[in-house]
Amino acid sequence: MTRSRLFFASALLLAAVLGGLVVLGLQALLPGIGGNKAQVERIVHGYLLENPAILRDMMEKLQQQESAEAAKSQEAAQASVPAALPALTTPFASAWAGNPNGDVTVTVFMDYACGYCRASLPGLAELIAKDPNVRIVYREYPVLGEASVVAARFALAAAQQGKFRAFHDALFASGGPSNATISDALAKAGLDPAATQKLANSDAVAKEIDANHRLGAKLAMNGTPAWVVGKQILYGARDYQALVDAVAIARKTK
């Protein structure tokens, strides 16, 4: 979603730049109308209406460039995974699930405000239930605003008290992060609000979120959810079968 918005905004910007360049060209070629901005703009407007394929061609070219750049970035990110594995697969306190000695680790980067993350939860839960030899490591990756950051801080504070999954599941079930839903999730997880708030404001929690953002940037994670399964990077929502397939590949390529 983030990349699509950037592409659309870039296309609009290019269209505006094209219009500006055409205006400047007409002013240079037709000095007699150079001072009549309204007349030049009418000429440009009419030309673009008669030749709309120009904008389509520009957008197609931009999309090709965006895709090439994204592929190059993801290729570099994939190459950096082996060196990053210790940081990726070491959970923060109790922010993990499954078999602690599993042969494949699935590291997932999530944001509590992310609908695609919420949509991926059933598949992840099914994987944990059906595959007794996987380990899940949760990395807090708040990218959707201040409420996400606050929620991530409380989740890590819950992890420090051995209640990560209880808080995590309760907050995602609430529909999104807010003061009210965080308070409700704390209650459902059996956490003391004051003690958890203190931990949420700690340097350890702040450093963990910062480290996750640096990891995500290195691995070309422009949104959530994002996954590292074995040594593979996956971007976007994944259902149960997609996770099963990724785990199978990880086992074959160990």
Side-chain angles (χ1 to χ4, degrees):
M1 290 296 290
T2 301
R3 189 169 290 137
S4 296
R5 291 193 194 100
L6 288 173
F7 170 73
F8 181 69
S10 298
L12 289 178
L13 179 60
L14 275 180
V17 169
L18 174 63
L21 290 173
V22 173
V23 168
L24 290 174
L26 282 174
Q27 287 177 330
L29 292 171
L30 303 172
I33 65 169
N36 190 335
K37 182 179 179 182
Q39 185 177 0
V40 172
E41 289 178 346
R42 281 196 299 272
I43 294 172
V44 172
H45 183 261
Y47 180 79
L48 291 177
L49 285 178
E50 291 175 5
N51 299 275
I54 292 175
L55 297 179
R56 181 202 63 206
D57 293 344
M58 287 174 59
M59 293 179 70
E60 288 180 353
K61 182 64 175 178
L62 176 62
Q63 189 172 34
Q64 291 169 3
Q65 291 177 345
E66 291 270 336
S67 297
E69 290 173 4
K72 186 176 180 180
S73 176
Q74 290 174 10
E75 184 178 347
Q78 185 64 61
S80 70
V81 168
L85 280 176
L88 284 166
T89 59
T90 302
F92 182 88
S94 65
W96 63 276
N99 183 345
N101 300 310
D103 66 337
V104 172
T105 296
V106 176
T107 301
V108 56
F109 289 70
M110 288 189 169
D111 183 310
Y112 290 102
C114 170
Y116 293 102
C117 298
R118 188 177 296 106
S120 297
L121 294 177
L124 190 56
E126 189 173 356
L127 179 69
I128 295 169
K130 291 183 176 180
D131 190 330
N133 209 24
V134 295
R135 182 178 68 142
I136 313 301
V137 172
Y138 300 90
R139 306 233 77 95
E140 294 299 324
Y141 198 61
V143 294
L144 296 175
E146 184 58 29
S148 294
V149 175
V150 173
R153 284 178 168 273
F154 273 97
L156 293 172
Q160 289 179 310
Q161 299 171 82
K163 298 275 184 82
F164 176 83
R165 283 292 305 285
F167 177 86
H168 171 89
D169 292 345
L171 187 53
F172 263 123
S174 73
S178 67
N179 290 337
T181 57
I182 289 172
S183 294
D184 186 56
L186 288 173
K188 289 179 178 177
L191 290 161
D192 177 76
T196 307
Q197 176 76 70
K198 185 176 180 180
L199 289 171
N201 293 335
S202 69
D203 288 342
V205 163
K207 287 178 181 177
E208 171 66 9
I209 293 174
D210 181 62
N212 289 343
H213 279 146
R214 284 187 277 109
L215 270 175
K218 181 182 291 185
L219 300 179
M221 294 177 180
N222 296 316
T224 51
W227 318 73
V228 178
V229 184
K231 296 179 183 179
Q232 313 159 74
I233 305 176
L234 307 174
Y235 303 99
R238 289 292 187 276
D239 62 11
Y240 169 68
Q241 190 57 53
L243 292 174
V244 167
D245 292 345
V247 169
I249 291 171
R251 287 193 171 119
K252 288 179 182 178
T253 57
K254 288 187 66 174

